[in-house]
Amino acid sequence: MKMILLRKFRVLILMVFLIACSMHIMIDLLPKLERHSNSGCSCSHSPSEEPQSWGKQGWPNKHTLRILQDFSNEPSSNVSSHSLERIPVTGDKTQSVKRLEHYGQRGDRKRPFIQDATVTKNMPVKGSRLSALYDHPLYKRSPPPLTDEDTLFNVNTDIRFDPKAAEDQEWNGEGTMDEFSPTGELTADSYPNWLRFHIGINRYELYSRHNPVIDALLKDLVTQRITSVAMKSGGTQLKLIMTFQNYGQALFKPMKQTREQETPPDFFYFSDFERHNAEIAAFHLDKILDFRRVPPVAGRLVNMTKEIRDVTRDKKLWRTFFISPANNVCFYGECSYYCSTEHALCGKPDQIEGSLAAFLPDLALAKRKTWRNPWRRSYHKRKKAEWEVDPDYCEEVKQTPPYDSGTRLLDIMDMTIFDFLMGNMDRHHYETFEKFGNETFIIHLDNGRGFGKHSHDEMSILVPLTQCCRVRKSTHLRLQLLAKEEYKLSMLMAESLVRDRLSPILIQPHLDAMDRRLRQVCAYAICNLTSRCDQNLNTDPLNL
């Protein structure tokens, strides 16, 4: 009797195993079956102009998917929100250089930009406030002479393109002979704009004041064909990594709030939405303040069907697409907050706004170091950070490397003012390029939680400035300039933002709030600094 029961149990276990295997195989085959069945099912058509297939390129194998979805969210990684690659092991730098060699571009500088008529109409005329600002002596100071140690890349040795190395035969046939140097290699002027932006990074700035490559890169972010899309792992809210036809990459943050919506008063800063228009406005504000520490960001209207769903090879993202009761295309992806059917991102019917932030160089080529912000908030509902309860907290910071020497503390003060003008309370970490050590600027990444409340000024953001009683002299002078009527900050921002394809980016109350906050910075902090501690109006060598 026991033997019979044992045999029946074994048969039962075997049946369960076979059923599980069958279900696993069916789940893997389901996307392909759905793709083939779409041609005969009118109900699966999206609201776009014509029916789209759900996987024109076919699905990758599991190994490819694992590589695609590995964006290194490991605690030991220096990966930022703008990085696709994880920190390489020894020898990976050679592979990354080879990948860049494959990514060369020949005709990019000769291809005409298809410019929208509204963009041309909105371009500021000569003699505008913005032009007058950039003609001011404070915006004409030159950085120190650059050596090889001051540039992120040495073009002759670190980055070289060989068009013959490209596997894409269509690529090789597009170029013309006059675009190549006599050695058969591409010249730096013919590199794609994203690479020219990378080459221009140095110890003192992400890009120079009047670098034409930045405007060209902003146009590329808006017009380049999107060839692949994947979710970025980590982070609290959904972000997508988009790759373009010219092999450039950008971080896409979709629209979650309208321009008129404010952050609800009962929301904690760490559960606030990340706004696409805040990313765009932060780039323009950073440029007007002459920091130039935010990577280029542009707004783009994306077709969710053709430019996300049909080009993604990320199954997890693809499976979250659905058609809403209003017949709009929606998706929600995977993330910690707001990634559910109730918080889905829906198009009109399949068009959605978003910000595209250009990627910084691959970590295999230019490592970055992540630093904890000394004035980081507690990110807790009840607890307070040390700086919130200790008025002498800055004295401890000033004795701690790298804040005990050099210009790092002054860079923190710059970032403090930048965040206060935006109302951004979410500055927990910052990054620097490892090559330059501690004598370099800090990168202003992740600004999506700015411009949430135009009716409230969060004075606690200014605590680093008031505790340390220090500010960079050039920053002090530029803030005084922007407080004048002829260089009014809100007018300069409005003029700069009108160039973006998604203009208007900010409503007038947010622009007015920046003027009000600028006056408060002068009255609450800067003016006190000039009277109490003139010696701390620093004239450091990075005072650009």
Side-chain angles (χ1 to χ4, degrees):
M1 186 66 179
K2 290 182 179 179
M3 292 297 294
I4 293 173
L5 291 175
L6 182 61
R7 287 176 183 174
K8 286 184 178 180
F9 180 73
R10 288 177 178 175
V11 171
L12 181 62
I13 293 296
L14 180 61
M15 291 296 293
V16 171
F17 177 74
L18 291 174
I19 291 171
C21 290
S22 301
M23 291 179 65
H24 182 75
I25 293 171
M26 290 299 295
I27 290 172
D28 279 351
L29 291 176
L30 184 61
K32 293 184 179 180
L33 293 174
E34 289 181 355
R35 181 186 63 188
H36 290 304
S37 65
N38 275 353
S39 58
C41 179
S42 60
C43 63
S44 63
H45 293 166
S46 69
S48 58
E49 294 180 0
E50 51 186 347
Q52 303 289 327
S53 69
W54 282 66
K56 294 180 180 178
Q57 305 299 324
W59 290 108
N61 58 40
K62 292 182 180 179
H63 177 68
T64 306
L65 270 177
R66 282 197 295 271
I67 295 174
L68 179 70
Q69 295 169 0
D70 181 14
F71 302 129
S72 291
N73 193 37
E74 298 141 358
S76 60
S77 172
N78 283 345
V79 176
S80 76
S81 63
H82 291 62
S83 176
L84 175 63
E85 305 292 343
R86 61 191 174 91
I87 293 181
V89 296
T90 305
D92 277 359
K93 182 172 181 178
T94 305
Q95 295 177 3
S96 298
V97 173
K98 287 181 179 178
R99 182 172 68 87
L100 281 176
E101 290 175 352
H102 174 75
Y103 287 175
Q105 178 174 1
R106 305 135 325 282
D108 186 70
R109 59 176 173 161
K110 293 191 175 181
R111 292 173 186 166
F113 169 60
I114 303 172
Q115 193 172 27
D116 188 15
T118 58
V119 176
T120 306
K121 179 182 69 175
N122 289 332
M123 289 292 286
V125 296
K126 262 191 171 181
S128 65
R129 290 175 186 256
L130 209 54
S131 299
L133 179 75
Y134 293 144
D135 284 337
H136 193 277
L138 285 175
Y139 287 79
K140 288 184 173 295
R141 298 181 180 181
S142 300
L146 299 178
T147 65
D148 287 345
E149 294 300 316
D150 295 326
T151 56
L152 191 61
F153 294 117
N154 185 327
V155 180
N156 294 327
T157 58
D158 289 346
I159 299 179
R160 297 175 67 189
F161 276 178
D162 181 6
K164 294 181 181 179
E167 296 176 3
D168 188 346
Q169 297 303 316
E170 182 182 357
W171 166 294
N172 289 330
E174 288 180 358
T176 57
M177 293 303 294
D178 62 346
E179 291 177 293
F180 304 104
S181 65
T183 62
E185 297 179 354
L186 289 170
T187 59
D189 288 342
S190 62
Y191 288 169
N193 291 313
W194 61 266
L195 181 59
R196 296 171 68 189
F197 159 57
H198 291 174
I199 292 171
I201 298 173
N202 60 58
R203 182 184 298 274
Y204 308 111
E205 56 197 5
L206 271 182
Y207 56 90
S208 58
R209 286 191 182 95
H210 306 293
N211 188 350
V213 171
I214 301 305
D215 286 337
L217 178 56
L218 293 173
K219 292 176 183 178
D220 284 349
L221 292 173
V222 175
T223 60
Q224 278 282 323
R225 181 169 65 87
I226 299 169
T227 58
S228 69
V229 176
M231 285 188 295
K232 182 191 177 299
S233 63
T236 58
Q237 300 180 36
L238 179 67
K239 294 178 275 288
L240 301 178
I241 296 171
M242 293 186 168
T243 304
F244 303 113
Q245 186 178 14
N246 69 351
Y247 299 97
Q249 290 182 312
L251 191 74
F252 180 77
K253 290 189 178 182
M255 177 178 178
K256 295 186 178 74
Q257 285 185 320
T258 64
R259 308 288 196 276
E260 292 75 20
Q261 286 179 296
E262 280 196 277
T263 301
D266 292 327
F267 266 41
F268 284 98
Y269 54 89
F270 50 81
S271 58
D272 192 9
F273 290 107
E274 292 186 15
R275 288 165 284 274
H276 73 300
N277 59 321
E279 292 284 358
I280 301 168
F283 166 69
H284 290 263
L285 176 61
D286 174 83
K287 188 177 180 181
I288 288 173
L289 292 173
D290 203 37
F291 294 153
R292 287 166 284 121
R293 300 166 194 170
V294 175
V297 184
R300 178 165 177 164
L301 193 63
V302 173
N303 186 306
M304 298 166 63
T305 305
K306 297 178 181 178
E307 296 182 303
I308 299 180
R309 190 193 69 181
D310 289 348
V311 298
T312 186
R313 296 173 67 84
D314 190 332
K315 285 185 179 180
K316 292 182 179 179
L317 173 62
W318 181 86
R319 286 171 178 161
T320 65
F321 276 85
F322 64 93
I323 305 298
S324 73
N327 205 32
N328 295 323
V329 176
C330 305
F331 74 102
Y332 51 87
E334 289 188 357
C335 62
S336 302
Y337 295 166
Y338 310 123
C339 281
S340 62
T341 308
E342 295 77 18
H343 296 100
L345 304 166
C346 295
K348 295 182 180 180
D350 57 0
Q351 305 286 318
I352 189 169
E353 288 186 14
S355 63
L356 279 165
F359 266 33
L360 293 174
D362 192 296
L363 288 173
L365 296 173
K367 289 185 179 180
R368 300 193 296 278
K369 187 168 183 179
T370 302
W371 304 80
R372 182 186 174 96
N373 183 3
W375 282 270
R376 180 186 187 272
R377 296 178 184 272
S378 65
Y379 288 82
H380 192 277
K381 297 181 181 68
R382 292 175 294 276
K383 293 181 181 178
K384 289 189 175 184
E386 184 180 349
W387 59 267
E388 294 180 277
V389 296
D390 182 5
D392 297 323
Y393 175 76
C394 185
E395 295 304 315
E396 180 182 341
V397 173
K398 286 190 286 189
Q399 297 174 22
T400 306
Y403 309 103
D404 59 344
S405 62
T407 61
R408 183 63 58 83
L409 190 60
L410 296 172
D411 286 336
I412 294 290
M413 299 303 115
D414 285 348
M415 187 170 64
T416 295
I417 295 169
F418 176 60
D419 284 337
F420 178 71
L421 294 175
M422 295 190 297
N424 178 28
M425 302 172 66
D426 185 37
R427 187 70 68 184
H428 45 83
H429 289 83
Y430 64 87
E431 295 187 8
T432 60
F433 287 106
E434 197 172 281
K435 176 181 177 178
F436 303 135
N438 293 335
E439 295 298 325
T440 185
F441 64 95
I442 61 180
I443 309 169
H444 297 166
L445 297 175
D446 294 335
N447 305 296
R449 284 186 170 138
F451 299 102
K453 295 180 181 179
H454 54 73
S455 59
H456 173 71
D457 301 333
E458 184 55 51
M459 302 307 294
S460 66
I461 300 175
L462 283 179
V463 166
L465 198 65
T466 56
Q467 284 186 348
C468 296
C469 194
R470 288 192 180 187
V471 69
R472 183 179 264 113
K473 185 175 183 179
S474 58
T475 300
H476 176 218
L477 294 175
R478 279 193 294 269
L479 291 175
Q480 288 182 323
L481 182 68
L482 294 172
K484 295 181 178 179
E485 186 64 29
E486 58 267 36
Y487 297 107
K488 196 172 184 180
L489 179 58
S490 61
M491 299 295 290
L492 293 168
M493 280 291 290
E495 185 178 330
S496 184
L497 290 171
V498 80
R499 302 180 180 192
D500 192 89
R501 188 65 61 92
L502 299 183
S503 178
I505 302 300
L506 296 176
I507 59 174
Q508 191 60 41
H510 278 300
L511 297 173
D512 295 338
M514 280 191 288
D515 287 334
R516 183 179 69 245
R517 290 165 187 163
L518 178 59
R519 291 193 297 269
Q520 289 175 344
V521 169
C522 288
Y524 182 67
I526 301 297
C527 292
N528 290 335
L529 288 171
T530 57
S531 61
R532 293 189 293 115
C533 34
D534 287 336
Q535 69 275 15
N536 287 326
L537 290 175
N538 198 287
T539 56
D540 60 90
L542 293 185
N543 189 5
L544 304 177

